[in-house]
Each structure stands twice: as C-alpha cells, then as structure tokens.
C-alpha cells in the first residue's frame, strides 16, 4: 500500500502500489481453474443472508434496493468462496398494517379470506389497496379497532386472516420479483 491520504472529513484514500496490482492481476489471469486465484474455503459453513425484506402491499424504496444489492453481492462472494448460502427474503410481519389490510380485504374482497378462493383473487394495485386501507384506518375508529383485532386473529391462527395474509404475501412477491428480475437476482 502507498501512504494513506486524508481526503476531507470522513474520507481516507488508500492506494495499492502498482507492482502489487501487476502481480495480483498476473496471478489471477494465470489461474487455469477460472477462480482468479481465489481458493475455496476449507471451513465450509451454512450462511443465511437476509435480503430486502420489503413491506407487504407497499412499493420498495431505495433502502430495500440497497440491502437487496448488498445481500446479493455478499451471497455471491460467499458462494464463490465455497460456503452453502441460503438467500432469505423475509416477507410478512404481522403488525397493525396487516390487520388493517386483512380487514379491508374482508370488506372489499371477501373471497380473499377463503383458502380455496384466495388464489383466484386479483388484488390489483397493492399500493392503491394499502392506501385505501390506511385512509380508512386514519378516519374510521370502528375500522381501526377491527384492524387491531385482526392482528390478534392473525397471530392466533384464524383461517380467514391467514388466507388473506397469504394472498397479500403472494401478490406482493409477484411485484417484488419484477424488480429482482431487473436486477438479475
């Protein structure tokens, strides 16, 4: 390494020496195994990498995209090193937003509350669905109370609430996959 250089508040420039870079590039280029002279680990581990974990029925924001790209990069590096990597994308926390969405579905799309018919329900634009449910939650005290009770039902394993939750998760995953496909993830 060359001498580190302070480049303003919070920044340090580090530079490799040219002879080091030349040797490293030659070693990589000469590796007939195609691994760029990077050996596989002798301590293979099972590693879980959690990706963006977006919110159901909401659009992804830059924070979700950032963690998705970082998660994919780490997964690729760990896999290349020889580790067994499980790529995980947690979807579906059971907070108040879910009670709100389930109760909105109960009123607007009752077929989404039945396990047999929920797969056939086109929930349309999930963001619009979420905004409509949120608007009701903010102005309708009865709906707000039902929404909070809906979370309790969901946590207790209520079949209708679970069917609605599964419908929302499935529809959301379809939308997220479009973005993941654009990112080749």
């Amino acid at each position: 390494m060359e001498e580190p250089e302070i480049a303003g508040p919070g920044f340090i420039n580090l530079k490799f020496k040219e002879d080091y870079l030349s040797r490293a590039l030659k070693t990589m280029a000469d590796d007939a195994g195609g691994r760029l002279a990077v050996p596989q680990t002798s301590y293979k581990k099972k590693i879980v990498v959690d990706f963006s974990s977006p919110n159901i029925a909401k659009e992804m924001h830059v924070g979700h995209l950032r963690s998705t790209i970082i998660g994919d990069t780490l997964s690729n590096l760990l896999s290349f090193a020889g580790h067994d990597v499980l790529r995980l994308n947690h979807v579906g926390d059971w907070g108040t937003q879910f009670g709100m969405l389930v109760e909105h579905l109960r009123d607007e799309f009752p077929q989404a509350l039945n396990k047999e018919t929920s797969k056939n329900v086109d929930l349309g634009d999930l963001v619009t669905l979420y905004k409509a449910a949120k608007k009701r939650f903010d102005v309708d005290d009865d709906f707000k109370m039902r929404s909070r009770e809906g979370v309790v039902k969901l946590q207790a394993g209520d079949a209708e609430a679970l069917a609605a939750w599964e419908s929302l998760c499935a529809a959301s995953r379809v939308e997220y996959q479009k973005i993941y496909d654009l990112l080749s993830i």
Side-chain angles (χ1 to χ4, degrees), residues 6-68:
I6 303 298
F11 295 94
I12 300 173
N13 289 335
L14 302 173
K15 295 181 184 176
F16 289 105
K17 292 185 177 183
E18 284 187 35
D19 62 323
Y20 166 79
L21 288 174
S22 295
R23 284 192 317 272
L25 287 172
K26 179 169 180 10
T27 302
M28 289 178 189
D30 291 346
D31 183 2
R35 294 196 46 82
L36 303 173
V38 177
Q40 285 211 340
T41 183
S42 55
Y43 303 105
K44 185 175 181 175
K45 295 180 180 178
K46 175 82 167 187
I47 300 173
V48 178
V49 177
D50 186 13
F51 277 45
S52 52
S53 301
N55 301 315
I56 295 300
K58 288 184 173 181
E59 292 177 323
M60 285 183 159
H61 57 70
V62 70
H64 295 122
L65 296 175
R66 179 184 64 235
S67 64
T68 297

Side-chain angles (χ1 to χ4, degrees), residues 84-123:
D84 182 14
V85 178
L86 173 62
R87 297 162 183 252
L88 183 68
N89 192 16
H90 173 74
V91 175
D93 285 334
W94 290 356
T96 302
Q97 79 171 20
F98 259 109
M100 181 180 78
L101 287 164
V102 167
E103 291 308 308
H104 188 66
L105 288 177
R106 185 179 310 282
D107 296 341
E108 302 296 324
F109 299 93
Q111 64 274 31
L113 298 155
N114 179 303
K115 193 155 182 97
E116 280 79 45
T117 59
S118 65
K119 292 176 181 60
N120 303 325
V121 177
D122 179 6
L123 297 178

